[in-house]
Amino acid sequence: MTTIHDQYRQTFCRICQSAKLVPFLDLGAMPIPNGFLSQSQLSMNEARYPLATVLCPRCGLVQLTHVVPAERMFKNYLYIPSTSRNLLDHFKKIAREIIDSAHAKQGELVVDIGSNDGTLLSFFKTHGMKILGIDPAENIVAAANENGIPTINDYFSKESAQRIKKKYGKAKIITATNVIAHIDDIHDTFDGIRLLLARDGLFVMEAPYLVDLLKKNEFDTIYHEHLSYFAIRPLTVLAKKHKLRIIDIYHDDIHGGTVRVYFVHEKSQWRTQPSVRRFLAKEKILFLDKPEPYVAFAGRVARFRHSLRKRLADLKKEKHIIAGYGAAAKGNVLMHSCGITADMLDFVVDSISYKHGKFTPGNHIPIYPEERLLELMPDYVLILAWNFADEIIAKNQEYRARGGKFIVPHPRIRIV
Ligand code: JHZ
C-alpha cells in the first residue's frame, strides 16, 4: 500500500530560488532507502515518498522534487563508512592532503560536519589536530564518543556553528564528506561554515559529481537522502552568496565519482587554482545547464531498468539462486526502480553488523553477514554496492573459485 505523507514539494531552486525548474526523471514513490526493517516491522505500513528530479537552468543545480524531513532519515542511521578498506584508505589520504593544503599546525581545530562514526576525524587526530564532529544520528554519535571521537549530537546550522565557535573557537579546517547534498536549508549551513571558518581556514566538501552520475548512468544514487546533485557551477553560485570562494577541485573515483571542493573566505589571500577554470569549462561543453543531457540520461535509465529486470527474471526462470551484495541505500533504489522483488533475489549479504537480521525496505529481503555467502553459495550475486565492486570481488575469490558469478550493474551490466 502506498501512503505519501509528511514530505513537501520543492518549488524553488535550493540555491538560486528560481521558480523555473525542469523535470527530467521520475523513479516513482518508494520507501526511504536506509529504512531497513526489523522482523517485527515487516507487517507495518511503510511510508513511500516520491523520487523525481528537476534541473534549475538558472544556476545548474539538479535537485529532488520532494523533501522528506531529515528527522525521518537521519536520527537513527544504519550507514557507517568504516567497513570499507577503500574508504578508510581514501579518508586517510585526504586527511593528510587537507592538512598540507591548509598549512595546518598541530593542535588547530578540525570540525567534521556529518561526522558519522568519526572515521575521517580519526585520521586528523593521528596527525595531532584537535578534532570535533557533529552529526544528528543518536546511535552512531554515541559509538563515536565511546571510541574517543568528541562528537556533538546535532545538525550543523548557523545556530550550532555559533555554539561551537563560542566553546572551541574558529576552525582552521572544516570538512563535510557526503553530507552537503543531504541538507535542505543549504544557505543556513553555509552561513554556519562562514561563521566558524578561521580567516585563513579551508572548508573542504566531498560530494558525488553530477558528470559521473550522468556519464555512468548512476541513477540509483538518486534517492531521498540526496536532495542536491552537484556540478561545480551551482557551487560557485552558492559560494558567492556566502562570500566564500572555490580555490581548488579534485576528482576521485570513490562512490562512483566524487569531487572534493576547497572553499575559503572570498577576500582571503588564497590563490584560485587552474582546476576551477578547467572544471567550469568542461561543464560548459557538456551543456549541464540545458535540459538535453538530462533527457538523454532519462532514456538510458529507462533502458537499463528494463534490461536488468529481464536479466534477473531470465536467470530466475532457469531456477538459479541469486543474492545481493551490499545492502547499500543505492541498492534499494536499484531494486525498487527495476522491480526486483523478494522472489527474484533470495537474500543480501552486508559487512555492517547494524544491518544484519534486518530486511531491505519495500521488498523485504533478509540481510545476512558476508560470511554466509560461502555457506549458501548462490549461483549469482548482484553487486548492489557497485561502487565497491572491485573490493568486493577481490575479497570473494573463494566464491568465484567454487563457480559463483557476480553481476555488476554499472556502468553497464556485466557478469564476472
Ligand atoms: P555505500 C551511503 O550510501 C549513504 P550507500 C550516504 N547517504 C551517502 O551519501 C553515500 O553513502 C555516499 C556494504 N559493503 O557506501 C556496506 C559490504 O557488505 O555504497 C554498505 O552497507 N562489503 C551517506 O548506502 C554497502 O555495502 C564490502 O566489502 O549507497 C555500501 O554502501 C563493502 C566495501 C561494503 O553507500
Side-chain angles (χ1 to χ4, degrees), residues 142-216:
N145 277 311
E146 268 166 38
N147 292 334
I149 307 292
T151 308
I152 299 169
N153 184 208
D154 205 346
Y155 292 93
F156 184 83
S157 62
K158 189 174 178 186
E159 194 265 325
S160 57
Q162 188 77 58
R163 268 187 283 127
I164 294 173
K165 190 177 106 180
K166 207 162 160 208
K167 186 157 175 199
Y168 301 88
K170 286 195 171 190
K172 175 76 176 181
I173 295 170
I174 302 178
T175 49
T177 59
N178 290 302
V179 62
I180 299 296
H182 300 57
I183 298 172
D184 190 16
D185 189 352
I186 203 171
H187 291 293
D188 182 57
T189 305
F190 270 70
D191 279 347
I193 290 165
R194 187 178 154 71
L195 195 115
L196 186 60
L197 190 66
R199 272 251 46 89
D200 60 347
L202 262 191
F203 162 56
V204 181
M205 71 169 263
E206 272 196 346
Y209 188 35
L210 180 66
V211 171
D212 290 289
L213 192 166
L214 296 175
K215 229 166 63 193
K216 298 184 227 157

Side-chain angles (χ1 to χ4, degrees), residues 7 22 97 100 161 183 275 312 314-315 327 366 392 412:
Q7 84 277 356
V22 181
E97 268 179 29
D100 289 347
I183 298 172
S275 58
L312 294 191
D314 289 348
L315 290 174
I392 288 170
R412 82 205 96 70

